[in-house]
Structures are given as C-alpha cells and as structure tokens.
C-alpha cells in the first residue's frame, strides 16, 4: 500500500472550505490532510475552532514566515506533497509557488477570469457581480501562480444570480458549490498527477 499523499490546507478566515476538505478525506487512505495553517491568529479566524473536531490543530504563521521561507521549510519538514489554499488571502511568494508547481490549488468565488485579481475576495466579489448585473456566478478552482487568481482553471461550477440577491445570499449559493466541488477537484488532481 503506497504512503498517502500528504496535503496541507492554508486559510485566512472562517475555514468552511477547510472543513469540507477534511470531511472529504477523513476516511481516505490515499490522501492525508497533514497540515492546517492560518495567517491570522486564533482570535481573528474561525478555522482554529471549526477544525478541532477533526483532531487537527491549526498552526498560525506570520506574513514573515510566509515570505521568508519558514513556512515552506515547515511544509518540507512535514513531507507535504500538495497545498490547497482555502479562503487564503495573501500572495504566495515565488519560491513557494515553484516548490509546489502543479501541486497547489486555490478556490475563488467567481467564474474567473471575471471578477478576479487584486482586491477581489470575499464579499467584494459578490458585490461586484451583482453591481455588474450578471445573470450567473459560481466558483473556480485554479492552479496557483505568482499573480492573484491568474493560474490555469481546473474546474468551474456556475449558479444563477437571482432577482433581489444580496452579496450575502449570493455568497451562500457560491459557497455551497465550493464545499461540494473543491474537495472532489483536489482529489481528482491528486489522483491524476503522478506522484
Ligand atoms: C470563500 O468564498 C472562498 O472562495 C474564498 O474565501 C471564502 C471563505 O472561505 N477564497 P472559507 O469559509 O474561509 O473557507
């Protein structure tokens, strides 16, 4: 039996995608969520509490840890093979992107390339979609590159934008798609990439 692929999840906020990924791989023998990291302290991010039931400790790392290579070293020491950004709001430095080229995914709450790039995160995205009068929105899973939301698209799922939608109601509809499809997309990418 080959060793399970070791997956790290990096988050910045509530961690609902991290929970969906943990649930998806909970019984997996192929993939082991081996690291949970957050660049915000426990009093500023819900992921620490939400992931406790999975027996996982979320580890805080600073912007300096990310940019000075300390986080990359930690992931190497932990034997991490893949990285899933899940509600992660900082730019990934070049050496980190190179280290995980073809093995690092991100989820974005719009149908990229629309409504992506600097400043397009969280409610800003949904506000812009509604203000633009779009009839549909959705989620995108893409490979991570040095630029925000520029990597090649791996998977997209769409939903309608309804009359009277607020950014919050649209966010909820998109988040449901994220929770359903991000874990499956990660699993499919890992399964189809030679280890
Ligand atoms: C999600 O909409 C995700 O697309 C974006 O951050 C939001 C919050 O995600 N990247 P989470 O609840 O922290 O997983």
């Amino acid at each position: 039996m080959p060793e399970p692929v070791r997956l790290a999840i990096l988050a910045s906020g509530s961690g609902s995608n991290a929970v969906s990924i943990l649930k998806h791989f909970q019984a997996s023998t192929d993939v082991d969520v081996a690291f949970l990291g957050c660049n915000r302290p426990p009093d500023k991010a819900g992921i620490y509490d939400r992931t406790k039931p999975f027996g996982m400790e979320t580890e805080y790392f600073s912007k300096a840890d990310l940019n000075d290579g300390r986080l990359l070293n930690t992931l190497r020491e932990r034997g991490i093979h893949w990285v899933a950004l899940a509600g992660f709001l900082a730019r990934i430095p070049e050496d980190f992107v190179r280290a995980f080229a073809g093995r690092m995914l991100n989820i974005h709450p719009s149908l990229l390339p629309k409504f992506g790039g600097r400043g397009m995160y969280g409610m800003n995205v949904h506000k812009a979609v509604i203000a633009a009068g779009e009839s549909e929105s959705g989620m995108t899973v893409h490979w991570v590159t040095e630029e925000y939301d520029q990597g090649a698209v791996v998977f997209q799922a769409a939903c309608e934008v309804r009359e009277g939608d607020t950014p919050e109601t649209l966010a909820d509809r998109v988040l449901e798609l994220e929770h359903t499809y991000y874990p499956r997309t990660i699993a499919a990418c890992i399964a189809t990439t030679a280890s």
Side-chain angles (χ1 to χ4, degrees):
M1 171 80 79
E3 283 296 302
V5 168
R6 294 171 64 77
L7 171 68
I9 301 172
L10 304 183
S12 300
S14 64
S16 71
N17 275 288
V19 168
S20 303
I21 297 165
L22 282 163
K23 276 182 188 160
H24 186 87
F25 292 111
Q26 205 163 18
S28 170
T29 53
D30 303 326
V31 179
D32 179 27
V33 179
F35 182 86
L36 279 179
C38 185
N39 63 332
R40 292 222 178 112
D43 61 330
K44 291 202 169 52
I47 184 171
Y48 296 83
D49 290 339
R50 293 182 87 147
T51 53
K52 279 212 170 77
F54 295 89
M56 292 281 303
E57 279 304 311
T58 300
E59 301 180 45
Y60 169 74
F61 61 88
S62 68
K63 191 169 181 162
D65 294 329
L66 175 63
N67 294 325
D68 294 354
R70 281 190 293 276
L71 177 64
L72 181 53
N73 289 340
T74 300
L75 296 189
R76 283 178 167 145
E77 285 158 12
R78 308 281 180 88
I80 298 298
H81 303 107
W82 279 73
V83 177
L85 305 183
F88 190 67
L89 297 179
R91 183 198 294 271
I92 303 290
E94 225 168 287
D95 59 341
F96 198 116
V97 171
R98 273 201 305 276
F100 286 100
R103 294 170 184 261
M104 180 158 51
L105 293 163
N106 183 44
I107 181 136
H108 182 78
S110 78
L111 295 172
L112 290 175
K114 287 185 164 184
F115 307 103
R118 180 176 285 282
M120 274 295 155
Y121 56 85
M123 281 305 159
N124 297 349
V125 174
H126 307 300
K127 281 179 190 153
V129 167
I130 291 171
E134 297 289 325
S135 58
E136 68 168 8
S137 189
M139 51 76 87
T140 301
V141 180
H142 63 91
W143 296 112
V144 175
T145 62
E146 290 86 359
E147 295 308 317
Y148 284 118
D149 305 327
Q150 298 293 313
V153 170
V154 174
F155 177 83
Q156 290 189 306
C159 62
E160 57 183 0
V161 179
R162 294 180 187 150
E163 192 64 36
D165 256 334
T166 63
E168 290 70 22
T169 57
L170 179 54
D172 287 346
R173 199 170 307 126
V174 172
L175 205 53
E176 250 182 78
L177 294 175
E178 297 178 35
H179 294 165
T180 302
Y181 294 107
Y182 195 18
R184 296 180 198 182
T185 305
I186 296 168
C189 288
I190 291 175
T192 53
T193 302
S195 47

